[in-house]
């Protein structure tokens, strides 16, 4: 089948995948793999830009991420998976881009300022951290990706990638790099089980590795509308985290749940049970498939070796063109 273009996206191996990652990115990636030539990679160099001090968990996190991708439904027969640091061409292209990228382009990236102020506990005033959007541009342009599925926070990086592509083509009088477009993931933002943003650091996630009982427990202990003490108390679904989840997991039942809550016709326990059943429909199969994959590490290794091989051959071809255009090497 003729595919509609090349897609590339990556994830940092920073720890257990959770429902937020599934709804925010993976579900979308899985849908795209039939229609596009997809490259999905583990951005382990990117993890180093903020986590260079303690790398002890890096390898485990990579395996964990791969098992999660496969469990969620990414398919090695449709897409190419690879590990960024296994394709050394990424480092080379990053270096060459670093020669042509003005510092001002990097300083003005909103993620640079945001993260500097958020990660006060880490020293990220490093060369690598400032340059990480340039590394991201190398990831994308290496495969001449047409589309890059990303969340909103990453849009400036795709824009920067387009600028780097233009600058490179202009400086070396070529048309080597196409300008990629962002594919903004339709934001299905799910709060954590405590109502704050879902994040590992808040300990409020529903992880792929949580067994069905744990998931059930987490849902049953979610905070609801504090105004509801008795079943007959009228509720305010808009302040309730359980309701926010229903909007994503119980689409057809939402009007009914809203009505029953507002009129005190359903108790919160019953309401949560309904939700738990719907969440289980999505998460139990992922959990079960993940358990299988974590026992098949040799197969995961084969999948990555295969993906790395494909990615490397594209990367080598691009780098030959880049070196030729820039006249580097002898
Ligand atoms: N920077 C992205 C993140 O932190 C991960 C990433 C690295 C990426 N390279 C990429 C995403 C290329 C899309 C395309 O989440
Ligand atoms: Fe939330 Fe449901 Fe309770 Fe209403 S009935 S407050 S939506 S848990």
């Amino acid at each position: 089948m003729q595919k509609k273009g090349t897609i590339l996206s990556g994830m940092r191996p920073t720890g257990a995948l959770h429902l937020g990652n599934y709804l925010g990115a993976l579900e979308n990636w899985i849908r795209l793999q039939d229609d596009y030539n997809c490259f999905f990679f583990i951005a382990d160099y990117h993890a180093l830009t903020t986590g260079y001090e303690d790398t002890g968990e890096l390898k485990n996190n990579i395996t964990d991420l791969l098992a999660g991708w496969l469990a969620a439904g990414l398919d090695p027969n449709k897409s190419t998976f690879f590990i960024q640091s296994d394709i050394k061409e990424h480092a080379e292209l990053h270096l060459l881009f670093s020669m042509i990228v003005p510092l001002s382009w990097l300083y003005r990236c909103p993620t640079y300022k945001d993260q500097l102020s958020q990660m006060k506990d880490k020293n990220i005033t490093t060369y690598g951290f400032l340059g990480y959007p340039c590394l991201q541009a190398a990831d994308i342009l290496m495969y001449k990706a047409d589309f890059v599925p990303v969340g909103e926070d990453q849009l400036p990086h795709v824009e920067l990638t387009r600028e780097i592509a233009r600058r490179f083509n202009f400086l070396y009088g070529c048309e080597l790099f196409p300008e990629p477009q962002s594919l903004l993931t339709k934001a299905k933002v799910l709060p954590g089980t405590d109502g704050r943003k879902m994040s590992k650091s808040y300990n409020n996630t529903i992880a792929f590795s949580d067994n069905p009982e744990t998931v059930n427990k987490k849902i049953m202990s979610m905070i609801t509308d504090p105004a509801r003490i008795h079943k007959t108390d009228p509720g305010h679904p808009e302040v309730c985290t359980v309701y926010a989840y229903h909007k994503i997991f119980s689409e057809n039942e939402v009007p009914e749940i809203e009505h029953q809550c507002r009129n005190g016709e359903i108790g919160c326990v019953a309401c949560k049970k309904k939700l738990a059943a719907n969440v289980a429909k999505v998460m139990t199969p992922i959990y079960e498939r993940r358990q299988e994959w974590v026992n098949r590490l040799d197969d995961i290794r084969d999948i990555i070796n295969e993906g790395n091989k494909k990615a490397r051959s594209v990367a080598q071809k691009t780098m030959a063109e880049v070196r030729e255009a820039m006249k580097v090497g002898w």
Side-chain angles (χ1 to χ4, degrees), residues 8-12 41 43 46 84 115 132 135-137 139-140 148-150 153-154 157-158:
L8 175 126
S9 201
M11 252 184 222
R12 293 175 179 225
F41 74 102
H46 286 263
Q84 185 183 30
Q115 296 204 35
Y132 111 81
L135 176 60
Q136 185 163 352
D139 301 335
I140 297 169
V148 186
V150 285
D153 62 315
Q154 296 283 313
H157 296 168
V158 180

Side-chain angles (χ1 to χ4, degrees), residues 15-240:
L17 275 173
H18 55 70
L19 194 44
N21 304 124
Y22 180 71
L23 297 170
L26 281 176
E27 202 186 22
N28 194 35
W29 292 9
I30 290 160
R31 215 159 12 84
L32 294 166
Q33 40 177 9
D34 287 317
D35 297 337
Y36 296 87
N37 178 26
C38 291
F39 290 87
F40 297 119
F41 74 102
I42 306 242
D44 57 344
Y45 281 154
H46 286 263
L48 291 176
T49 62
T50 51
Y52 58 86
E53 279 173 289
D54 186 1
T55 57
E57 282 302 305
L58 207 48
K59 283 188 199 295
N60 279 342
N61 287 343
I62 291 176
T63 317
D64 198 83
L65 201 52
L66 287 167
W69 284 7
L70 291 160
L74 284 183
D75 182 346
N77 296 315
K78 296 179 181 169
S79 303
T80 304
F81 307 148
F82 68 92
I83 313 287
Q84 185 183 30
S85 66
D86 283 346
I87 315 298
K88 305 234 181 347
E89 285 74 10
H90 285 243
E92 185 183 3
L93 190 56
H94 172 233
L95 175 76
L96 294 177
F97 282 166
S98 78
M99 306 300 169
I100 71 168
V101 175
L103 278 173
S104 60
W105 292 10
L106 298 172
Y107 283 125
R108 75 166 189 234
C109 265
T111 46
Y112 179 67
K113 290 174 232 153
D114 287 355
Q115 296 204 35
L116 269 188
S117 65
Q118 275 168 28
M119 298 198 187
K120 285 264 189 313
D121 55 324
K122 289 187 188 167
N123 178 1
I124 50 170
T125 55
T126 57
Y127 178 50
F129 180 67
L130 176 67
Y132 111 81
C134 173
L135 176 60
Q136 185 163 352
D139 301 335
I140 297 169
L141 295 176
M142 186 74 83
Y143 302 90
K144 302 185 181 175
D146 301 297
F147 303 101
V148 186
V150 285
E152 202 156 358
D153 62 315
Q154 296 283 313
L155 289 178
H157 296 168
V158 180
E159 194 50 47
L160 180 79
T161 302
R162 296 161 59 86
E163 282 173 302
I164 294 176
R166 277 200 291 276
R167 184 161 169 85
F168 186 98
N169 292 343
F170 168 75
L171 284 171
Y172 307 111
C174 58
E175 296 281 320
L176 210 163
F177 293 117
E179 289 183 35
Q181 285 175 33
S182 312
L183 271 189
L184 190 57
T185 310
K186 250 197 299 132
K188 261 198 200 167
V189 188
L190 188 77
T193 50
D194 59 359
R196 293 188 288 174
K197 178 180 181 305
M198 187 179 285
S199 157
K200 267 186 324 283
S201 49
Y202 291 151
N203 205 5
N204 63 1
T205 69
I206 293 181
F208 285 15
S209 55
D210 287 340
N211 64 34
E213 266 161 79
T214 307
V215 174
N216 194 57
K217 252 186 238 152
K218 287 183 174 179
I219 292 174
M220 294 310 291
S221 57
M222 277 162 71
I223 309 280
T224 67
D225 175 1
R228 298 203 72 204
I229 296 162
H230 304 292
K231 180 184 154 186
T232 49
D233 295 336
H236 310 84
E238 64 281 359
V239 303
C240 175

